[in-house]
Amino acid sequence: MINDKTKNIQKKLMWNKKLYTSLFLLLLVLSSLAQSNPSSLVSLTGVLLDEQTQAPLPYANIVVEGKNKVITTNEKGYFLIRNLEKSDTLNFHYIGYEQKKICVCDLQQGSYIYLKEEIISLNEFFVFSKDYKVEEIVKNVLKHKEKNYKNTNAKKQLFIRQRYISNLDKIEVDFKKSSFDHLDEKMTKVIEKKIPKQSISYTDFLGDVYTSNNKNDTLKLNPIKLVRLKEKSVADIDKIEKLFADLFSNTKENEYWKIKSGIIGGKIDADISESSGDLDSLKDFHSNHFMVKPYAKRLNTRFNNILEDKKKWNFLHQTSNYEYTLVGGTKVNGEDVFIIDFKPKKSGELVGRVYIATDTYALVKADFKYDIGKTGTNFQLFGVGYTLNQLDISIYFEKKEDNYQLKYYAQKTGNKVSFDRNVSLLKKKKRFLIDKELNEIKVRLNIVSREEGSFEVMVIDEIKISNQTYVNFKQKDTFKIMFVDQFNDNIWKDYNIIEPTQQMRDYKKIE
C-alpha cells in the first residue's frame, strides 16, 4: 500500500505539473498576443539603389514574403512599408537586376539597399545559333502590337499621381488703348503685378477602372479617394476674375466677345446667364468636386494610345534615326527578354533601354528620355515660342496568360513658352454685313514661362470581369476632392500607394 507520505508527494507533483502546464499555456497566449499586437508592428523606410552607379531604382517592387503585400518605390527609389513584423522577409525585385531577400530585423530606418545588375551575356543567353538583327527586333514590337496588347474585360485598381509646376519668369503688360471704363492703364498694371509668379499643384487619385474587350467601349471610373495639395486662391486674383465676370455678364443677346492678335483671333464663350449668387455657388461646387467623365476620357485616350505617339515613341516608329545595341538578355517573370540600348543618330532625339520578349516581341519594359542637347517640338514664329525640353518615360507591362497589361507608367515633361505680341479684347455687335465694334482694350503682352509636369500610374490589382459587369456599372458624375494643406503619412495610411517625394512632403499651401 502507498503510505500517506507518498500520496502527498504525488499530489504535489500533480499540482506542480498543472501549474507548469498553466504557466506554459499562459506564456503561449501572451506570446501570441504580443505578436498580433499592433504596437509590436514596425514601419520601415529606405532607398533602393544600383550597386555600381548608386542611381535610384524607381518603381521597383518590394514583396513581403508570405503575405499578399507588394510595395512600389517612388521615382527617387524611396519606399515606406507599414505594419511589418521584425521576422518578415522582404524580396526586392527590379527588372534586369538580381533579386535580394533581407529580413526586416536586419534593416534600419532609412536603409540603403543595393541591387546588382543581372545581364546574361549573348553567348550564354542564346543557346542556339541565330543571327539577330537588332533593328528588326525593335521593328517587331509594332508589328506584333495588336496581338500582344489586347483590350480585356477587367476591373483594375489604379493609383495615379500628377504634379504640375508653372514658373512665370517674365510678364510685361504694355497698355496701348481702351474704351472700357474699368479696364484702363492702371488696371493693366495691377494685373501685371498681381498675377502669381509660380503655380504648384499635386493630385493623388485612387480608384477602380472598368474596361471592356470592345475597342469602341471607353473605360469607366469609380473613384475611391482623391487628394489634392494646391495653393489657395489669391484675393487680388479673385477680384480680377470678378472684374471680367461682371464685364462678360453685361453682354446682350446680339453681342459677343473676341480676342485677337494680329490676323489670328477667335470668339470667347462668355455665356453667363446665372445670377451672381448662382455663379459663386457653381464655382464653389466645381472647385471642390472632381468631374469624373472628362477624366475617364483622358485616361482612356492615354492608355489606348500607348506606343502610338510617333514623337514620344520615335525609336519604335523611326528606327532608321537610331543606333541599337543588343546588350544581352535576362528573364522577366520567367520569360526571356532581349536587353537593347539605343541612342539617336542626327535626326533622333531619344536615348534609353528597352526589354523585348524573345518569343512574342512584346515591349515589356522601357526607360528613355531626351538625349543631351536634344529637344522635342521647338519653334519660334511671329513672337510665339514653344520648346518641349524634357521628356522622361518609364513603362512596364506584365504578362497575363497570352496578353501584356500595363503595370506602371511614369512620365515627366518640361517646356518653355514665350509670347510677345499685341493682344486685343473686343466686344462686338452682330450686324447683317459687318459686325460693329463696341469696345476694345489693346495691350502688348510679353510673357516667358516654364512648365514641368509629371504623371505616374500604378496598377495595384486586376481581376477579370464579365462583359455584363462592365455594362451594369454606372459611373458617377462627380466626386468630392479632399484638400490638404500639407502631405502627411496619415492621408494614405491604409492604402498601397507610391510614396511621395521629399519635394511633395515639403510643399505647403500658401496662405
Side-chain angles (χ1 to χ4, degrees), residues 302-351:
R302 185 184 287 268
F303 295 151
N304 282 348
N305 291 335
I306 287 179
L307 308 185
E308 292 294 331
D309 189 321
K310 291 183 180 180
K311 289 290 289 180
K312 192 179 293 181
W313 299 91
N314 188 248
F315 65 91
L316 293 179
H317 291 268
Q318 300 290 334
T319 56
S320 60
N321 292 340
Y322 293 87
E323 181 182 320
Y324 302 92
T325 303
L326 182 56
V327 178
T330 190
K331 284 187 179 291
V332 177
N333 295 326
E335 184 178 28
D336 290 335
V337 299
F338 298 109
I339 302 176
I340 298 173
D341 286 347
F342 62 91
K343 61 183 180 180
K345 295 179 183 177
K346 186 176 180 180
S347 299
E349 300 164 350
L350 303 164
V351 60

Side-chain angles (χ1 to χ4, degrees), residues 268-478:
I268 299 173
D269 183 9
D271 181 17
I272 303 177
S273 55
E274 292 89 349
S275 66
S276 178
D278 291 336
L279 282 173
D280 289 341
S281 176
L282 193 63
K283 179 182 175 183
D284 181 65
F285 177 83
H286 283 292
S287 63
N288 289 287
H289 285 77
F290 168 74
M291 307 304 291
V292 178
K293 187 175 180 179
Y295 191 65
K297 281 188 174 182
R298 290 199 297 273
L299 289 181
N300 190 73
T301 301
R302 185 184 287 268
F303 295 151
N304 282 348
N305 291 335
I306 287 179
L307 308 185
E308 292 294 331
D309 189 321
K310 291 183 180 180
K311 289 290 289 180
K312 192 179 293 181
W313 299 91
N314 188 248
F315 65 91
L316 293 179
H317 291 268
Q318 300 290 334
T319 56
S320 60
N321 292 340
Y322 293 87
E323 181 182 320
Y324 302 92
T325 303
L326 182 56
V327 178
T330 190
K331 284 187 179 291
V332 177
N333 295 326
E335 184 178 28
D336 290 335
V337 299
F338 298 109
I339 302 176
I340 298 173
D341 286 347
F342 62 91
K343 61 183 180 180
K345 295 179 183 177
K346 186 176 180 180
S347 299
E349 300 164 350
L350 303 164
V351 60
R353 171 172 286 187
V354 291
Y355 299 77
I356 298 173
T358 60
D359 291 335
T360 63
Y361 293 104
L363 185 146
V364 178
K365 187 176 185 295
D367 301 290
F368 59 95
K369 60 185 178 180
Y370 284 142
D371 198 6
I372 297 171
K374 298 282 188 175
T375 62
T377 303
N378 184 14
F379 67 84
Q380 304 288 328
L381 190 65
F382 303 124
V384 179
Y386 177 84
T387 303
L388 182 61
N389 50 27
Q390 182 186 9
L391 178 67
D392 196 330
I393 290 178
S394 291
I395 192 168
Y396 169 50
F397 294 94
E398 193 170 71
K399 189 175 185 182
K400 294 182 179 294
E401 297 175 355
D402 62 342
N403 199 21
Y404 293 83
Q405 294 292 321
L406 183 70
K407 184 62 180 177
Y408 74 73
Y409 177 83
Q411 174 182 294
K412 295 180 194 174
T413 57
N415 63 67
K416 182 178 179 180
V417 179
S418 61
F419 185 94
D420 187 8
R421 290 178 63 92
N422 288 330
V423 178
S424 294
L425 176 65
L426 304 104
K427 184 178 183 181
K428 304 189 82 171
K429 183 177 181 179
K430 294 178 182 177
R431 293 200 304 190
F432 177 64
L433 292 175
I434 301 174
D435 294 346
K436 181 181 179 181
E437 183 179 302
L438 301 176
N439 298 97
E440 178 187 12
I441 178 173
K442 185 176 183 180
V443 298
R444 180 80 177 187
L445 274 182
N446 188 354
I447 297 173
V448 178
S449 69
R450 291 173 293 111
E451 297 174 348
E452 297 175 21
S454 68
F455 175 87
E456 301 169 87
V457 58
M458 177 177 69
V459 180
I460 298 171
D461 192 26
E462 179 178 347
I463 60 172
K464 290 182 179 180
I465 60 171
S466 66
N467 187 63
Q468 196 59 46
T469 300
Y470 169 84
V471 172
N472 291 342
F473 175 74
K474 302 301 178 186
Q475 184 174 259
K476 298 176 182 177
D477 292 326
T478 63

Side-chain angles (χ1 to χ4, degrees), residues 218-280:
T218 185
L219 64 79
K220 298 179 181 180
L221 205 57
N222 180 31
I224 296 171
K225 190 172 184 178
L226 191 148
V227 180
R228 182 165 290 169
L229 296 86
K230 195 172 183 180
E231 290 176 320
K232 292 181 178 177
S233 298
V234 180
D236 293 311
I237 295 299
D238 290 341
K239 289 178 183 178
I240 294 171
E241 286 181 359
K242 188 176 186 306
L243 171 66
F244 282 98
D246 292 342
L247 200 65
F248 292 147
S249 65
N250 187 27
T251 306
K252 296 177 182 178
E253 187 176 348
N254 62 339
E255 297 173 348
Y256 66 93
W257 294 84
K258 185 177 182 180
I259 191 163
K260 185 180 177 184
S261 178
I263 61 172
I264 304 168
K267 289 184 179 180
I268 299 173
D269 183 9
D271 181 17
I272 303 177
S273 55
E274 292 89 349
S275 66
S276 178
D278 291 336
L279 282 173
D280 289 341

